Amino acid sequence: MKRFFMQRKNLIVSAILILCLILSTLAFAQQEQDENQQKVKNVILMIPDGMTIAHTTLSRWYQGGEPLSMDEIACGLVKTYSANNPITDSAPAATAYATGYKTQNRYISIYPEMVSMPGVGQVEEKDFYKPIVTILEAAKKVGKSTGLVFTCQFPHATPAAFASHTDNRNDYESIAEQMVYNQVDVVLGGGYKYIDKNQRKDKEDLAGYLKQNGFFVTTSWQEAKNFSGKKIWGLFAQDAMHYDFDRNGTGEPSLAEMTQKALQILSKNRNGFFLMVEGSEIDWASHANDPVGVVSEVLAFDKAVKVALDFAKSRDDTAVIIASDHANGGMSLGNYTTKYDTALLNDFLAYITKAKRTGAGIEEHLGNNKTDENIKKIVSEYYGINDLTSDEINAIKNAKAGNLNYVLGPIISKRSNIGWTSNGHTGEEVVLYAYHPNGYIPRGVIDNTEICDYMAEILGIDLGSFNENAYISNIDLEEKGYDVSIDTINPSNVQLVINKGSKTYIIPQNKNVVLEGSNQYKLKYVSVYIPSAKRFFVSSEIESLIKLP
């Protein structure tokens, strides 16, 4: 009898073990299935630079209360502070989205040396200024196509953060060169002069380099629209493009049209793509406190959102993430003089709905004809304002070139019950919007770095592994025994020089090449020089090329 019960007990134990094994296998299979459902092939990141809730509310009112395309996918809030400031500028804000790391103001996709905000980890001194591999660079390395669409000039902070590395966001020439050598597949926006050898200070023929490497380069939207290849740089203005309300007659495409074209080209890659689309000039209108510019650019951005969402919803492999990089202007609907219990909607919209151009567009139209009568005529015709004061007329007359929107914006705001607290950025959270074919989206209040983490996760990209050994500095090389020097004779073309025996290896900044005599080798990443720290960072496989014994 005892033997019978022992056999029965063993059978029960075996059955339990088998059941546990089956359940574990099923759980693992379910987890694997869930993870596969989270993965997508394509990611579209959309950044309405400087946009806040007040911006979207005013834009909704402008179009009769109709919802914006982005409204249906609102899902949370994003914290925007940088590594060293409660209020970020666009460079570290875009860096957080591009790399998953916070850096300090003015820095683009490099580690900070100053960290003072709570919860931001301090970087080791040896990694100060080191370039951080971006989601775009990693996507390209795993065989995906990459794209940037914007209305600013392409070396501006937000697009720059995805394809360049520097401690000076205003060094447009170096940034442009890095972005060109990073060979982003599709670049559509403004800034042709930064690749034109006749307009660059260093006379580098970046347009020629692109053409030699199989890119179609054009300043014509008609040519870009008819392009049927896979690699294009379409730069439709010498510098920044016009505000959307001012675009008529310029030949420039809308943000929605450029987004549509980018998706058409990038979707040819079976491995998928990463695309960043920026509504660049929402930010600029906010700096100027220009509500007409705000409405112009928010609605233009929202049309691009519709293009992206229509594309994503027509397939099962594309996610769309939308988040401003920061707030701007402290815009409010209602100001100190507003009697909110009696104010009607028309009290906010009367002049804005009549507006035919932004302040920047009015400046072009006025030209040098700034007589009192012409100012009154133009402002009446384009804004419906017929009661300009003498102080306002004089302010328009005396506005610095390129800054008339800073005068006209407040004139319209005052008459429209719209308040502003600043001509600069502000530090509050911004709205998060997200679409995923299987509903796997971030929710709640998240950090801006988590946007990058999320994109990397759903694309199946391990950014940490890319960053682990991506770059080595001149200091690291010296410590390893290399004969290294930095040649700064030509400040526009600083070079890292490595001597080994009878051979000399020359590595120019902002490029991804090594020169040794008549030989030229290509590196994985562009080389980066940080003048303030006298640090030169180069792609780490330089060691295998030199082969130090």
Side-chain angles (χ1 to χ4, degrees), residues 37 39-44 144 260 262-274 307-320 435-439:
Q37 286 181 341
K39 297 289 189 293
V40 293
K41 196 165 68 171
N42 314 312
V43 161
I44 306 169
K144 293 183 182 294
Q260 184 76 63
L263 291 172
Q264 178 193 341
I265 297 169
L266 295 171
S267 58
K268 293 178 181 180
N269 187 340
R270 292 182 180 180
N271 291 323
F273 64 81
F274 171 82
V307 169
L309 285 177
D310 286 349
F311 176 89
K313 290 177 180 179
S314 70
R315 330 164 45 104
D316 61 0
D317 60 0
T318 303
V320 179
Y435 168 83
H436 185 284
N438 295 314

Side-chain angles (χ1 to χ4, degrees), residues 150-156 159 172-173 175-177 179-180 187-197 199-200 206-207 210 217-219 233-242 252 258 281 284:
F150 42 86
T151 55
C152 59
Q153 55 276 70
F154 76 89
H156 206 267
Y172 282 7
E173 290 217 343
I175 291 168
E177 189 171 14
M179 293 176 77
V180 164
V187 175
L188 301 176
Y192 181 78
K193 73 178 187 180
Y194 300 102
I195 63 170
D196 181 7
K197 64 181 180 181
Q199 298 187 70
R200 286 181 59 87
L206 299 183
L210 287 167
V217 180
T218 184
T219 58
W233 276 53
L235 301 175
F236 311 110
Q238 288 298 310
D239 209 26
M241 297 172 71
H242 285 78
E252 295 175 2
M258 292 190 291
E281 295 175 36
W284 298 359

Side-chain angles (χ1 to χ4, degrees), residues 467-505:
N467 273 303
E468 195 170 341
N469 297 302
Y471 279 95
I472 190 168
S473 74
N474 60 302
I475 297 172
D476 296 328
L477 289 167
E478 286 172 1
E479 289 176 351
K480 290 187 174 190
Y482 291 92
D483 178 7
V484 179
S485 62
I486 299 175
D487 178 2
T488 59
I489 293 174
N490 181 356
S492 297
N493 186 25
V494 176
Q495 300 175 333
L496 184 69
V497 180
I498 305 175
N499 293 303
K500 178 177 181 278
S502 61
K503 293 184 177 181
T504 299
Y505 298 86

Side-chain angles (χ1 to χ4, degrees), residues 8-22:
R8 188 177 177 188
K9 183 178 179 182
N10 289 338
L11 286 171
I12 291 171
V13 170
S14 298
I16 290 171
L17 289 173
I18 292 169
L19 181 60
C20 289
L21 181 61
I22 292 170

Side-chain angles (χ1 to χ4, degrees), residues 331-356:
M331 184 185 186
S332 63
L333 304 178
N335 56 28
Y336 280 112
T337 63
T338 305
K339 294 180 172 58
Y340 63 85
D341 52 350
T342 59
L344 301 176
L345 185 57
N346 193 54
D347 295 327
F348 294 88
L349 295 179
Y351 296 107
I352 295 173
T353 52
K354 288 177 185 175
K356 299 176 183 177

